[in-house]
Amino acid sequence: GLIWKETIDSNEFIVTPLLSNFLFEKPHTFNTESNLNLIVETNFKIYAYTNSDFHIKLLTRFSRIQYKLPNLIVSELTQESVKSAYKDGIECQQIVEFLNKN
């Protein structure tokens, strides 16, 4: 899964090999220096400025991807995507916290 690492200087999630294998079906390393900048509109559209495979996979867990550009992912929170995430064990509060944090 994910491990929450809290230090004086920063807070971050560490991806375990188990989650990496689950998401990508093969061992994968992530660039911990990759940035994620989100814009969430009132019409539930999400603009994610990232090139990280990890961030893209996270977005696909709770939103419907509409466009993929080199450094921009456009997705949308839909009733179906949130229900699907909930069935997979992702709570609404976790989605809101993720969107607020980034």
Side-chain angles (χ1 to χ4, degrees), residues 35-97:
N35 291 329
L36 173 64
N37 295 307
L38 294 178
I39 297 173
V40 182
E41 293 184 335
T42 56
N43 61 0
F44 302 106
K45 281 199 187 260
I46 302 169
Y47 298 90
Y49 294 92
T50 185
N51 56 4
S52 165
D53 290 339
F54 176 68
H55 291 140
I56 294 168
K57 284 290 186 182
L58 279 177
L59 284 170
T60 61
R61 301 292 290 163
F62 62 84
S63 67
R64 185 174 59 87
I65 303 295
Q66 293 181 326
Y67 306 103
K68 280 188 180 182
L69 301 171
N71 290 321
L72 173 66
I73 304 297
V74 179
S75 65
E76 182 178 29
L77 283 173
T78 63
Q79 186 175 12
E80 294 81 21
S81 65
V82 173
K83 281 183 181 179
S84 176
Y86 184 73
K87 287 179 184 176
D88 290 340
I90 300 172
E91 296 179 4
C92 293
Q93 185 62 31
Q94 292 172 310
I95 295 172
V96 170
E97 287 174 7

